Amino acid sequence: MTSGVIVLIGSFILLLILRVPIALTLVASSLITGIYLGIDPAAIVQRMVGGLNSFSLLAIPFFILAGEIMNEGGISRRLINLANVIIGKVRGGLAMVNVLASTFFGGISGSALADTSSLGSVLIPMMRKQGYDKDYSVSVTISASIQGVMIPPSHNMIIYSTAAGGVSVGALFMGGLGPGLLLGFAVLVLSYVLAVKRKYPKGEPVKKEEIPRIVWEGLLGLLTVVIIMGGILSGIFTATESAAIGTLYAFIITFFIYREIPITRMVAILHRTFNTLAMVLFLIGASSAFGYLLALLRVPQLVSEGLISISPNDFVTILIIVIILLLLGCVMDMAPLILIATPILLPVATTTGMDPVHFGVLLILCLGVGLLTPPVGSVLFVGSAIGRLSIEKVSKAMLPFYGVMIVIVLLVAYVPSISLWLPSFFK
């Protein structure tokens, strides 16, 4: 068994070093190890197909499509305007608008990358024109965007649910809401403190006659989240059914109420959705085969025994898990890490008494922070590209934001009620 573990992990690391795409790396290392162990390659392929045989995965294409439709239809600008009405008048108001708009947009897109791309392309230039430092503008934008992976409907929660063996998607959505809003509030406070310290300008007041229209248009977009979460929590819909109905609502709002784009744009929207979906599903299938071999070689048990041998103290074990996740987030993207780390670390977490929902929320949060850290943080790269700054300069400006996010990570890790009180309340 030990030699099989070496072949599996060794081939995986080698292929990553050779810059083979992660999904192909997972497939190749699984096939190599399967052949070494004398397993029929057809069995590996069957595991890949079986990994996609999950009803909850049907929610992913609907959530991706809903986000693409709303983003294309001008929801970003409307949410920015809504946030500006609520909080834009104070000192550093535009930075705080940035954070609040990310909270709203995260509840529609479920993606930090989409959040940064859509809101950042509008808000970073606006902040520069009003006198904000460029590195500060980028830092606020990308830090606030991490709410998107925590606040429902996050398709990363669905991926974790599949990897964890069917943890309730509704419970995960509710579990991520509290930490996501807490993170947003912490970034909001830090943005205000830095704005006051650096004497950034106050926001411009909104004309009173425009407020009703701005609020109405913004709330229409946010109703997508209400439909999805309301349907799940009321028991009327499953997560998949809510995703489909939310997508239909997004389609109606975008093409028949906002009417900023012609319906012919659906072709491009579907094309982008299918591209994203193909990558996600291929990755899930590849990870299923890899996870099968991890279980066969008893890697989760070995890791659990190893961590417990370092210290039998649950406090220390949880801290080690957090450190491992933060370090892994620095070198690999979120979706593959969810699929790889869950079967290994979830058994370790449950030995400390951690609920699978709590662990899932902590996992997503830690890997979300990884999206902002070099060398492979995808959101960090996108924010730097939009702001036309080097990764090094943005990373330096991010230091206070990293500090705040680490505090939130530790609070979520050691105060389970932050993640579990909403699922418990609605249960």
Side-chain angles (χ1 to χ4, degrees):
M1 286 294 182
T2 303
S3 59
V5 174
I6 293 173
V7 172
L8 180 65
I9 304 301
S11 59
F12 176 77
I13 294 173
L14 177 62
L15 291 170
L16 281 183
I17 293 173
L18 295 175
R19 295 183 179 275
V20 177
I22 182 65
L24 295 178
T25 295
L26 291 168
V27 173
S29 57
S30 299
L31 288 172
I32 291 169
T33 307
I35 293 170
Y36 175 80
L37 296 174
I39 300 173
D40 188 344
I44 303 296
V45 175
Q46 288 173 350
R47 290 287 175 173
M48 291 179 61
V49 175
L52 298 175
N53 188 22
S54 172
F55 181 74
S56 62
L57 289 179
L58 288 174
I60 293 179
F62 288 118
F63 284 139
I64 294 173
L65 179 58
E68 289 285 356
I69 290 172
M70 297 296 281
N71 184 34
E72 183 83 8
I75 186 64
S76 302
R77 176 174 53 79
R78 289 176 170 85
L79 293 179
I80 291 170
N81 291 338
L82 177 61
N84 193 38
V85 167
I86 297 171
I87 205 170
K89 297 179 182 179
V90 301
R91 183 169 296 281
L94 193 53
M96 301 176 76
V97 165
N98 195 331
V99 179
L100 191 58
S102 288
T103 305
F104 294 155
F105 193 83
I108 295 173
S109 71
S111 167
L113 200 59
D115 191 326
T116 299
S117 302
S118 301
L119 298 180
S121 60
V122 177
L123 283 168
I124 291 175
M126 285 177 63
M127 291 176 71
R128 287 292 299 122
K129 287 181 181 179
Q130 289 200 13
Y132 293 83
D133 294 324
K134 189 183 289 188
D135 55 356
Y136 172 82
S137 304
V138 174
S139 298
V140 171
T141 302
I142 64 176
S143 298
S145 72
I146 301 305
Q147 297 173 87
V149 302
M150 302 296 297
I151 297 174
S154 168
H155 61 263
N156 290 295
M157 294 290 188
I158 302 173
I159 295 174
Y160 168 76
S161 171
T162 302
V167 177
S168 167
V169 174
L172 288 168
F173 280 174
M174 284 291 93
L177 185 59
L181 294 177
L182 179 62
L183 175 64
F185 178 74
V187 174
L188 189 75
V189 172
L190 177 61
S191 302
Y192 175 73
V193 170
L194 293 176
V196 171
K197 183 178 179 181
R198 300 176 186 180
K199 298 181 180 180
Y200 289 136
K202 293 183 178 181
E204 297 178 1
V206 181
K207 294 180 181 179
K208 290 184 178 179
E209 59 269 22
E210 294 182 358
I211 291 178
R213 175 186 58 82
I214 291 172
V215 172
W216 171 248
E217 290 183 348
L219 291 179
L220 280 177
L222 290 177
L223 273 176
T224 308
V225 188
V226 176
I227 291 171
I228 292 171
M229 292 310 303
I232 294 173
L233 295 177
S234 65
I236 298 174
F237 312 128
T238 64
T240 302
E241 292 165 346
S242 292
I245 292 170
T247 302
L248 177 62
Y249 174 79
F251 178 84
I252 293 171
I253 289 296
T254 298
F255 291 104
F256 297 101
I257 296 181
Y258 289 165
R259 293 186 295 182
E260 282 194 4
I261 56 173
I263 200 165
T264 53
R265 290 296 300 166
M266 271 301 295
V267 176
I269 291 171
L270 289 171
H271 185 264
R272 288 198 303 272
T273 300
F274 290 148
N275 282 342
T276 304
L277 183 61
M279 291 186 290
V280 171
L281 294 184
F282 184 27
L283 187 57
I284 291 173
S287 298
S288 297
F290 192 82
Y292 161 69
L293 290 169
L294 287 174
L296 183 67
L297 295 169
R298 298 185 66 252
V299 172
Q301 293 91 327
L302 294 173
V303 172
S304 178
E305 292 168 4
L307 290 180
I308 293 173
S309 67
I310 294 174
S311 173
N313 188 294
D314 292 344
F315 185 95
V316 176
T317 302
I318 292 173
L319 181 61
I320 294 172
I321 290 174
V322 168
I323 292 171
I324 290 173
L325 290 174
L326 290 174
L327 291 176
L328 288 174
C330 293
V331 295
M332 195 181 297
D333 208 4
M334 175 177 280
L337 268 178
I338 294 171
L339 294 162
I340 295 169
T342 298
I344 296 175
L345 294 178
L346 178 57
V348 182
T350 54
T351 63
T352 68
M354 186 178 287
D355 186 273
V357 171
H358 180 200
F359 174 75
V361 172
L362 178 63
L363 170 76
I364 300 295
L365 178 57
C366 289
L367 300 186
V369 175
L371 295 174
L372 306 179
T373 53
V376 296
S378 55
V379 175
L380 175 65
F381 275 82
V382 170
S384 300
I386 294 173
R388 298 180 181 179
L389 288 172
S390 67
I391 298 295
E392 294 79 10
K393 189 165 185 179
V394 176
S395 298
K396 183 178 179 181
M398 278 290 297
L399 290 177
F401 293 92
Y402 287 143
V404 165
M405 286 186 281
I406 294 300
V407 170
I408 300 300
V409 166
L410 293 176
L411 283 173
V412 171
Y414 291 112
V415 185
S417 58
I418 297 176
S419 304
L420 298 179
W421 76 274
L422 270 177
S424 298
F425 179 78
F426 285 102
K427 189 175 182 179

